[in-house]
């Protein structure tokens, strides 16, 4: 059995100009990054702006488990399946972060015979978007600390700085640091912190901005800290916006690559869903909708995180409206939720599956609250049995959803035909009536509780004293009408990663709250979730190398 990287390296990729032609773009409409990657030009985006929008299909999943669910694999396979059926379909997905590539999770290019290529470049430096975001964020931090040293004209309180430096790497040692040590001209001594790049507000802004003008306005609203008089200080106050925008002027343009079957794939932006808002850029999704009749997009981690943020933040901000939702699960993951250890998941166990299927049921229930029809698909493994499949089929049918088997990992687009037909039938039925979970005019705590109780299943929500004070301050600043982005573990519906299945009635704790004024939402952090992940005892980086022929090995 070939590994993902071996399959990708054997792929017969088309010249990116040929791929661009499939969405109506000429060589003048793209900026090529080598032979197989490109950025779309602003001229192309303007040329297609009056095109009719296609139908939007959101792919999400149950809570991730060590068994893996294959959400990105299904996303790409569904796109290929639709094109095999003669449909004008395009995929829009997130860019991978370097952190998980060298840590534990892996990349975000799909798997098996449903991948985006060139896989190595996508999972590593790609077109440099994340480097640009890192540089723009850290420029702002550098200008802030320089301002403190050069007289602090704005009266910024060094103990009330909220902007963090960033790095696109899992490096827990940088979570809490002291800077400015040494001589006087080496800076003001203060406590500082790092986030991973994908958790930064600059990443969120890039993914929500409609255009360069909107990007610039949003960057200017970033709150970097507070004065001694408790007044917010912004990036605009520090006169950093122009230089930050220059660093991001290319990064804001969507990237175009291809699937293994040479279908067009937009890949742009990549906030994590457990610590950020979890969706690819609005710009890429809207561009895709103008280029195709069907756009398949995904949201990060499980539906309680990525899909909730797609539906409550991205759709609310952008006006996007999904026509169907695909909910991905595996039989192995459901048995894991039923209490079966990872090394026994290949054995048939219908009882364990029925014990863990409540997790799937909760996600179906949650997604229906948004008024969008749901198609459930099982990402099939070789060890799955007919009895297990039929148990899920019966459960899903009782929930009023279409049920399909996806075999795209093994067969590419051919293995996604049943899923594609079910999605097309669902869209043709025209039952989508999207609406967000909560209204804009609710208080911040009411919005948090709407998500915690309505989506996670919590019995009540508790707040640390610091979180409650922060909410009072945020609301007094006029940010009470914005949506809420909750940072929590991806492994459970609750804030405790060990609570599997569909827990209910638990206490959900909010320990920190802050406003991302440029992005336009309030962030509420729960449990022990960190915005700078750490590496495992044996990181994936130990297995990655380059061979004598210059090929990368060990990358998935």
């Amino acid at each position: 059995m070939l590994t993902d990287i071996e399959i990708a390296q054997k792929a017969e990729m088309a010249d990116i100009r040929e791929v661009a032609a499939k969405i109506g773009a000429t060589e003048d409409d793209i900026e090529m990054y080598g032979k197989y990657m490109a950025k779309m030009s602003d001229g192309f985006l303007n040329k297609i702006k009056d095109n009719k929008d296609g139908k939007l299909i959101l792919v999400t999943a149950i809570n991730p488990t060590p068994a893996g669910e294959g959400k990105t694999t299904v996303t790409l396979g569904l796109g290929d399946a639709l094109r095999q059926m003669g449909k004008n379909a395009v995929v829009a997905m997130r860019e991978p972060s370097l952190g998980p590539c060298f840590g534990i999770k892996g990349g975000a290019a799909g798997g098996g015979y449903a991948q985006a290529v060139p896989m190595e470049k996508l999972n590593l430096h790609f077109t440099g978007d994340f480097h640009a975001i890192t540089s723009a964020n850290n420029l702002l931090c550098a200008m802030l600390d320089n301002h403190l040293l050069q007289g602090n004209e704005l009266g910024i309180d060094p103990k009330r700085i909220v902007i963090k430096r960033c790095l696109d790497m899992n490096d827990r040692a940088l979570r809490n640091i002291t800077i400015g040590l040494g001589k006087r001209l080496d800076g003001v001594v203060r406590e500082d912190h790092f986030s991973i790049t994908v958790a930064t507000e600059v990443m969120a802004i890039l993914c929500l901005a409609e255009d360069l003008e909107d990007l610039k306005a949003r960057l200017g609203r970033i709150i970097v800290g507070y004065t001694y008089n408790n007044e917010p200080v912004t990036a605009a106050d520090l006169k950093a916006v122009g230089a930050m925008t220059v660093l991001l002027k290319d990064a804001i343009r969507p990237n175009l690559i291809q699937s293994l079957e040479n279908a067009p794939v937009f890949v742009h932006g990549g906030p994590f869903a457990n610590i950020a808002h979890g969706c690819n850029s609005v710009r890429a999704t809207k561009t895709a909708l103008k280029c195709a009749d069907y756009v398949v997009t995904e949201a990060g981690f499980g539906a309680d995180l990525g899909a909730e943020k797609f539906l409550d933040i991205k759709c609310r901000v952008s006006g996007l409206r999904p026509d169907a939702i695909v909910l991905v699960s595996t039989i192995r993951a459901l048995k894991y939720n039923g209490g079966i250890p990872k090394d026994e998941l290949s054995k048939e166990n219908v009882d364990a599956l029925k014990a863990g299927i409540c997790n799937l049921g909760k996600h179906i229930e949650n997604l229906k609250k948004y008024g969008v029809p749901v198609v459930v698909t099982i990402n099939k493994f070789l060890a799955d049995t007919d009895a297990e499949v039929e148990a899920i089929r019966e459960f899903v049918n009782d929930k009023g959803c279409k049920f399909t088997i996806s075999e795209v990992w093994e067969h590419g687009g051919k293995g996604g035909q049943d899923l594609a037909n079910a999605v097309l039938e669902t869209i043709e039925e025209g039952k989508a009536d999207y609406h967000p979970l909560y209204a804009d005019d609710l208080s911040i705590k009411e919005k948090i509780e709407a998500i915690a109780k309505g989506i996670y299943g919590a019995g009540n929500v508790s707040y640390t004293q610091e979180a409650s004070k922060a909410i009072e301050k945020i609301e007094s600043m006029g940010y009470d009408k914005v949506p809420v982005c909750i940072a929590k573990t991806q492994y459970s519906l609750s804030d405790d990663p060990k609570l599997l299945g569909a827990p209910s009635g638990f206490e959900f704790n909010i320990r920190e709250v802050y406003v991302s004024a440029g992005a336009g939402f309030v962030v509420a952090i729960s449990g022990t979730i960190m915005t700078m992940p750490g590496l495992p005892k044996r990181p994936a980086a130990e297995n990655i190398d380059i061979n004598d022929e210059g090929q990368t090995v060990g990358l998935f």
Side-chain angles (χ1 to χ4, degrees):
M1 182 70 70
L2 297 176
T3 64
D4 288 348
I5 192 170
E6 288 170 338
I7 292 171
Q9 288 172 341
K10 292 177 181 294
E12 294 183 9
M13 289 186 284
D15 188 296
I16 195 63
R17 290 171 290 191
E18 297 174 27
V19 178
K22 296 178 181 180
I23 59 170
T26 68
E27 187 172 351
D28 291 336
D29 292 323
I30 61 175
E31 180 183 352
M32 296 176 65
Y33 282 63
K35 191 175 180 181
Y36 304 115
M37 307 188 302
K39 276 192 170 290
M40 308 311 299
S41 71
D42 291 329
F44 176 72
L45 303 187
N46 187 61
K47 184 168 72 174
I48 63 172
K49 64 182 176 62
D50 295 325
N51 289 3
K52 181 181 176 181
D53 284 341
K55 301 295 185 180
L56 183 59
I57 304 157
L58 171 65
V59 180
T60 185
I62 67 168
N63 292 97
T65 69
E69 284 61 62
K71 174 167 48 63
T72 306
T73 301
V74 170
T75 299
L76 288 158
L78 176 55
D80 282 336
L82 288 167
R83 292 192 71 86
Q84 281 191 13
M85 295 167 65
K87 304 298 181 182
N88 179 15
V90 168
V91 171
M93 50 187 270
R94 297 176 302 152
E95 296 180 47
S97 164
L98 287 176
C101 290
F102 298 121
I104 191 171
K105 177 180 175 291
Y113 289 90
Q115 295 189 55
V117 286
M119 184 264 249
E120 293 170 61
K121 291 182 181 294
L122 172 59
N123 277 305
L124 299 176
H125 299 291
F126 198 30
T127 58
D129 292 346
F130 284 19
H131 299 312
I133 291 166
T134 301
S135 296
N137 181 91
N138 291 346
L139 170 64
L140 177 58
C141 294
M143 291 181 71
L144 168 62
D145 280 296
N146 183 62
H147 183 89
L148 294 178
L149 178 69
Q150 303 289 356
N152 195 6
E153 182 180 344
L154 294 171
I156 302 169
D157 184 350
K159 293 185 177 180
R160 298 211 58 205
I161 291 170
V162 295
I163 187 77
K164 297 179 181 179
R165 286 172 162 82
C166 71
L167 185 70
D168 191 34
M169 194 63 63
N170 294 1
D171 193 347
R172 61 168 54 85
L174 293 177
R175 287 174 183 163
N176 304 291
I177 62 173
T178 301
I179 63 170
L181 297 174
K183 299 178 181 178
R184 190 191 72 81
L185 292 180
D186 293 329
V188 174
V189 177
R190 68 175 183 88
E191 181 181 345
D192 201 3
H193 313 271
F194 269 76
S195 291
I196 192 167
T197 298
V198 290
T200 63
E201 185 174 359
V202 177
M203 172 65 81
I205 286 171
L206 184 93
C207 290
L208 292 172
E210 292 281 351
D211 51 33
L212 203 61
E213 183 180 359
D214 187 29
L215 173 73
K216 198 169 184 178
R218 288 175 177 272
L219 291 172
R221 294 196 292 269
I222 294 175
I223 296 173
V224 299
Y226 294 83
T227 68
Y228 289 107
N229 294 325
N230 203 23
E231 295 299 321
V233 178
T234 66
D237 294 328
L238 289 171
K239 300 180 175 59
V241 177
M244 293 174 71
T245 307
V246 167
L247 287 171
L248 296 170
K249 67 180 178 65
D250 293 322
I252 194 177
R253 294 188 286 128
N255 307 295
L256 179 69
I257 53 173
Q258 62 192 287
S259 70
L260 287 175
E261 298 181 16
N262 311 126
V265 179
F266 287 105
V267 187
H268 195 218
F272 284 173
N274 57 342
I275 52 180
H277 84 276
C279 308
N280 74 299
S281 77
V282 166
R283 223 170 179 221
T285 305
K286 287 191 170 183
T287 300
L289 285 168
K290 296 294 184 183
C291 295
D293 296 325
Y294 298 94
V295 173
V296 186
T297 191
E298 65 165 349
F301 289 123
D304 55 316
L305 286 169
E308 185 275 316
K309 292 167 183 178
F310 182 97
L311 295 162
D312 280 321
I313 297 176
K314 182 174 179 177
C315 288
R316 191 190 305 258
V317 168
S318 66
L320 292 167
R321 299 290 182 266
D323 296 281
I325 297 175
V326 175
L327 178 58
V328 180
S329 181
T330 64
I331 288 173
R332 293 156 55 91
L334 295 177
K335 288 189 287 190
Y336 184 83
N337 270 280
I340 299 301
K342 185 179 179 182
D343 58 0
E344 296 180 20
L345 294 176
S346 296
K347 301 175 184 177
E348 180 180 272
N349 194 326
V350 176
D351 289 338
L353 185 150
K354 289 182 176 179
I357 206 168
C358 56
N359 187 269
L360 174 62
K362 177 60 174 167
H363 287 296
I364 293 172
E365 173 192 321
N366 288 344
L367 292 170
K368 284 187 171 183
K369 293 177 180 179
Y370 294 92
V372 183
V374 179
V375 176
V376 175
T377 192
I378 295 299
N379 189 21
K380 196 172 188 300
F381 283 70
L382 297 176
D384 297 346
T385 69
D386 291 343
E388 291 170 329
V389 170
E390 288 310 308
I392 301 175
R393 187 188 305 276
E394 181 179 346
F395 178 86
V396 171
N397 289 341
D398 286 345
K399 294 289 184 181
C401 297
K402 288 184 173 66
F403 173 79
T404 69
I405 297 294
S406 171
E407 298 181 278
V408 298
W409 182 87
E410 185 178 3
H411 300 296
K414 183 180 178 182
Q417 299 287 312
D418 289 345
L419 172 58
N421 278 318
V423 169
L424 290 173
E425 288 173 7
T426 299
I427 292 174
E428 287 167 7
E429 289 167 1
K431 294 181 180 179
D433 183 23
Y434 161 80
H435 50 79
L437 181 70
Y438 53 81
D440 291 331
D441 58 1
L442 294 181
S443 69
I444 292 173
K445 284 191 175 182
E446 286 174 328
K447 290 170 184 172
I448 291 172
E449 288 165 19
I451 299 169
K453 294 178 181 180
I455 300 298
Y456 307 155
N460 68 291
V461 181
S462 62
Y463 302 84
T464 62
Q465 185 177 6
E466 292 79 6
S468 289
K469 285 184 176 178
I471 290 171
E472 290 177 8
K473 175 63 177 176
I474 291 166
E475 291 185 331
S476 73
M477 293 163 57
Y479 291 106
D480 54 325
K481 300 295 188 290
V482 300
V484 168
C485 177
I486 296 182
K488 78 168 186 72
T489 178
Q490 65 269 33
Y491 298 115
S492 170
L493 284 158
S494 72
D495 56 358
D496 179 354
K498 296 179 181 179
L499 282 181
L500 302 181
S504 62
F506 53 87
E507 180 173 281
F508 191 82
N509 179 255
I510 300 295
R511 63 177 173 84
E512 182 183 349
V513 178
Y514 60 88
V515 61
S516 290
F521 52 68
V522 168
V523 179
I525 299 180
S526 67
T528 58
I529 197 75
M530 298 287 182
T531 58
M532 171 55 86
L535 292 171
K537 185 173 182 178
R538 290 182 174 82
E542 293 182 3
N543 302 316
I544 299 171
D545 204 346
I546 193 162
N547 63 21
D548 293 340
E549 298 175 355
Q551 285 188 315
T552 301
V553 294
L555 185 67
F556 329 123

